[in-house]
Amino acid sequence: MEACGAYVAVSRPTVREPDAVYRLLRPLIDGATSGNSQEAFYAILLDTKNKVICTPCLTSLGLLDQCPVHPREVFREAVRQNAAILILAHNHPSGDPTPSKEDCDITRRLVEAGRILGIRIVDHVICGRPSDATPGFVSLRENNLVTFE
């Protein structure tokens, strides 16, 4: 987990696609949740060129099937770091990245909070495990489940 954080801090990769989010977060999620045993909610802070500003921020750590998410916690570090853009992400310990109604609802709430703060949320990626039916993640933007603009 520390090695992944150090890589992000030094290389500042550009993140535009959901698969890049998944590759960036999967090692952090595994480290933070002891092998995916509980939900973890992250915010990836980006500058205006979609470059990662700092190590993805763990904003909330939950239970096996839920994670309390509050706008105050999600945007705290984004405001401190002068982030222009956020990508939200969390895991589903079951391995199935299918979004729930609650996932879509909290995303809409956070998009609205971001509008008020002047910080754009451009996607919410739900991380699971790869299988024959899925690459291991679902992007709410790519699936048009939430309006981000």
Side-chain angles (χ1 to χ4, degrees):
M1 191 164 123
E2 289 174 10
C4 183
Y7 164 76
V8 170
V10 172
S11 68
R12 295 194 60 221
T14 300
V15 179
R16 286 193 169 95
E17 303 299 326
D19 63 326
V21 171
Y22 181 76
R23 286 192 316 271
L24 179 68
L25 282 181
R26 188 75 255 173
L28 289 173
I29 289 170
D30 287 343
T33 64
S34 302
N36 214 30
S37 62
Q38 62 193 122
E39 281 199 17
F41 196 94
Y42 283 87
I44 300 173
L45 285 54
L46 306 173
D47 65 15
T48 57
K49 303 288 186 193
N50 287 355
K51 285 197 166 281
V52 176
I53 293 174
C54 60
T55 304
C57 301
L58 176 63
T59 63
S60 184
L61 198 56
L63 304 171
L64 177 63
D65 61 351
Q66 63 181 343
C67 187
V69 177
H70 194 280
R72 176 182 53 241
E73 305 305 322
V74 172
F75 287 99
R76 176 179 290 146
E77 197 61 25
V79 170
R80 283 188 189 146
Q81 297 285 340
N82 293 319
I85 300 167
L86 286 184
I87 296 176
L88 308 174
H90 78 281
N91 67 316
H92 281 176
S94 68
D96 177 5
T98 303
S100 67
K101 178 188 178 308
E102 292 79 14
D103 293 337
C104 295
D105 290 345
I106 190 61
T107 303
R108 286 185 195 97
R109 185 172 173 212
L110 292 170
V111 166
E112 183 58 31
R115 281 190 190 115
I116 293 167
L117 292 171
I119 300 172
R120 284 181 35 231
I121 295 178
V122 296
D123 203 351
H124 184 166
V125 177
I126 301 173
C127 302
R129 292 286 180 191
S131 70
D132 293 338
T134 177
F137 60 88
V138 171
S139 161
L140 297 186
R141 175 186 277 289
E142 282 188 350
N143 288 283
N144 295 316
L145 296 170
V146 174
T147 302
F148 288 91
E149 300 298 330

